Amino acid sequence: MIIVFKNGTSQEDIKNMQERLESYGFQTYLPVGTEKVVMGAIGDETALRDKPLSAFPGVEKVVPIAKPYKLVSRDFKKDDTIIDIKGIKMGGGNVAVMAGPCSVENRDMLMYIAERAAKAGAKILRGGAFKPRTSPYAFQGLGEEGLKYLREAADANGMLVITELMDPRDMDLICEYTDIIQLGARNMQNFRLLRDLGTVKTPVMLKRGLCATLKEFLMAAEYVASGGNGNIIMCERGIRTFETETRNTLDLSAVPVLQSLTHLPVVADPSHGTGRRDCILPMSQASVAAGADGIMVEVHNCPEDAMSDGDQSILPNDFDILMDRLDIIANAIGKTLNR
Ligand code: PEP
Ligand code: MN
């Protein structure tokens, strides 16, 4: 439930309420950046049957949240969450672009791609150092060496790093190098990983599971938020359908639907969402036009030789065009492309 306090309620009254709820076995949360002072309380509401919380000093109203996800819901926090990482903003009216190769293959290719992506205006460098591959014989990533190259390439170009965490044992290592932790589609319901992500301060981008409903996706985010990490970005990356012309079906209606249900930033990944280079430009444009708070796109200097996902990677020259188009579309709908 949410407890809404009257304007001007004293800190002491808020603290009293917090202590009282905690004594009833509730966990309490105070979101930052909302107009009103509100408190989220999660626990067994039957314990409150004969305890009229609305009679407490300062309380304006007590609102139950019927949805299974609470902290990430719009009911809990009306305003968009804006995640600010070293001055680069995600959410609100900002459109952020994450670009880079599927996998970090070597230092030279990454330095080149990062430089080109940054020149086109991208502020976030993506690249996998630990890769979730369908085949155990396929390239699995460079591990820590790849993380080092990511940090070096990002720092050289004033960019942030986003990279995937697959194993809780790599958490400290990944946090040392990255600005955003990516949780891959295949791990969206790895509850141990989700719990661990709740305990760190590094922002997290959750990718939608291949067969996950939006409710399941939001419940994954709730795991992270309930652990104490509210800096979560939701990424629509395509789902499995009967269609075989594309690798996945990019569910763009998920963007406005998620934005109506959650205050968290929602981005789209047309690379994994379609698996086809010829779809990246139109579907990136469509994502931003649909209101996405950003996109993730795979860029490679030589897609035909890429060690993973070459089919869905665009060339740096095409990325230049993409950024110019996104700038126009973002402006047309009153948003700003981070550039
Ligand atoms: C990726 O971003 O390279 C990736 C593996 O994505 P997903 O988890 O969406 O398949
Ligand atoms: Mn990939």
Side-chain angles (χ1 to χ4, degrees):
M1 78 196 140
I2 302 169
I3 294 128
V4 183
F5 292 95
K6 292 177 191 142
N7 286 339
T9 302
S10 70
Q11 284 303 316
E12 200 190 337
D13 284 340
I14 294 169
K15 195 158 172 284
N16 281 341
M17 173 63 94
Q18 196 167 16
E19 283 170 4
R20 183 67 73 100
L21 283 166
E22 285 170 7
S23 77
Y24 297 154
F26 279 73
Q27 276 183 295
T28 59
Y29 301 85
L30 286 161
V32 284
T34 44
E35 273 169 37
K36 283 242 168 220
V37 181
V38 297
M39 184 187 294
I42 295 178
D44 177 11
E45 290 183 23
T46 57
L48 298 174
R49 227 174 264 143
D50 52 355
K51 301 189 173 61
L53 295 182
S54 46
F56 273 60
V59 173
E60 187 176 298
K61 59 182 172 180
V62 177
V63 189
I65 307 180
K67 298 193 178 75
Y69 46 90
K70 316 258 180 208
L71 303 176
V72 304
S73 75
R74 275 270 179 217
D75 298 337
F76 179 54
K77 185 167 178 276
K78 185 168 76 39
D79 304 328
D80 289 348
T81 285
I82 298 175
I83 300 175
D84 185 331
I85 312 167
K86 300 178 185 166
I88 294 163
K89 293 192 174 74
M90 301 190 76
N94 307 286
V95 176
V97 177
M98 296 167 265
C102 179
S103 303
V104 179
E105 298 169 12
N106 57 62
R107 184 176 176 276
D108 286 353
M109 64 85 80
L110 191 68
M111 293 302 280
Y112 176 74
I113 296 169
E115 194 188 322
R116 290 294 309 264
K119 211 176 250 172
K123 295 283 180 208
I124 307 170
L125 178 64
R126 67 142 287 145
F130 295 92
K131 294 302 301 177
R133 304 305 300 280
T134 304
S135 165
Y137 308 114
F139 177 59
Q140 305 285 311
L142 293 181
E144 185 171 6
E145 189 188 347
L147 297 176
K148 285 190 177 145
Y149 298 152
L150 275 168
R151 190 72 265 163
E152 185 189 353
D155 288 348
N157 292 285
M159 300 171 95
L160 302 177
V161 170
I162 179 167
T163 197
E164 179 166 353
L165 169 75
M166 292 206 301
D167 186 322
R169 289 169 292 189
D170 297 326
M171 180 73 88
D172 291 345
L173 180 69
I174 296 237
C175 285
E176 205 181 303
Y177 291 99
T178 200
D179 299 294
I180 306 170
I181 304 171
Q182 174 171 320
L183 185 78
R186 290 155 194 81
N187 273 317
M188 190 209 83
Q189 283 189 315
N190 182 333
F191 300 112
R192 167 71 201 269
L193 262 177
L194 290 168
R195 282 224 181 274
D196 285 358
L197 289 168
T199 66
V200 296
K201 291 206 164 54
T202 309
V204 174
M205 185 176 87
L206 295 183
K207 297 191 94 177
R208 182 180 180 183
L210 278 70
C211 296
T213 64
L214 296 182
K215 194 185 276 178
E216 288 162 342
F217 191 19
L218 288 160
M219 290 308 287
E222 187 76 11
Y223 259 90
V224 181
S226 65
N229 187 354
N231 289 322
I232 306 163
I233 300 146
M234 310 294 284
C235 178
E236 161 57 41
R237 51 77 71 204
I239 48 174
R240 278 266 164 96
T241 67
F242 50 82
E243 184 52 69
T244 54
E245 290 293 331
T246 46
R247 178 179 177 185
N248 291 295
T249 297
L250 186 67
D251 177 13
L252 271 191
S253 60
V255 172
V257 174
L258 282 171
Q259 284 170 334
S260 74
L261 298 173
T262 181
H263 51 85
L264 298 171
V266 179
V267 303
D269 172 353
S271 293
H272 295 88
T274 65
R276 290 173 51 147
R277 191 173 316 139
D278 61 341
C279 292
I280 309 302
L281 181 63
M283 295 315 281
S284 298
Q285 293 173 173
S287 299
V288 173
D293 297 297
I295 61 157
M296 169 169 267
V297 59
E298 289 184 334
V299 179
H300 200 287
N301 53 313
C302 191
E304 60 275 28
D305 289 333
M307 294 173 92
S308 59
D309 289 349
D311 292 343
Q312 61 189 43
S313 301
I314 58 170
L315 288 160
N317 284 349
D318 294 328
F319 184 68
D320 292 342
I321 298 168
L322 175 79
M323 287 297 280
D324 289 343
R325 298 264 184 95
L326 296 188
D327 209 355
I328 295 166
I329 296 168
N331 274 326
I333 57 169
K335 291 193 171 189
T336 312
L337 180 70
N338 288 351
R339 231 179 161 179

